[in-house]
Amino acid sequence: LVRAVKTRWNTYTDVLERALELRDALTDVCDMTRFNTGAEGRRGLHLRKFILNDNEWTLLEQLYGLLIVCIFFAVCLACYQ
């Protein structure tokens, strides 16, 4: 996975791109039993709460498209300065 950097807004685009590429794998990991139950009295991670529905994935796709356009224009503006 890719991590976002607070001081670099365009890293969120990288995070979204990777999440969209790994959509099925991320859903499968979040749905695995071993990540949703406690072992030997310990609390489990309960990752199922992070599974996104189709509408949420669509929203991420749209946000990614918007950020790509912003990056394009930011790079173009930087070239002309």
Side-chain angles (χ1 to χ4, degrees):
L1 292 177
V2 177
R3 296 184 126 205
V5 178
K6 289 182 182 181
T7 57
R8 301 214 174 249
W9 64 269
N10 58 341
T11 60
Y12 288 93
T13 306
D14 297 333
V15 171
L16 287 175
E17 180 179 30
R18 186 60 55 90
L20 292 170
E21 290 172 3
L22 298 175
R23 176 181 177 170
D24 293 335
L26 291 171
T27 300
D28 290 345
V29 167
C30 288
D31 200 33
M32 293 176 89
T33 301
R34 68 179 174 183
F35 295 124
N36 287 290
T37 57
E40 301 172 7
R42 294 182 297 175
R43 291 175 33 189
L45 296 174
H46 303 289
L47 296 182
R48 278 195 186 101
K49 62 187 170 193
F50 297 111
I51 295 175
L52 302 179
N53 62 39
D54 290 339
N55 290 334
E56 292 166 324
W57 282 110
T58 299
L59 182 62
L60 288 181
E61 289 169 352
Q62 293 171 350
L63 179 59
Y64 174 74
L66 177 65
L67 288 174
I68 287 293
V69 171
C70 292
I71 288 174
F72 173 77
F73 283 112
V75 169
C76 287
L77 288 173
C79 290
Y80 289 109
Q81 291 182 355

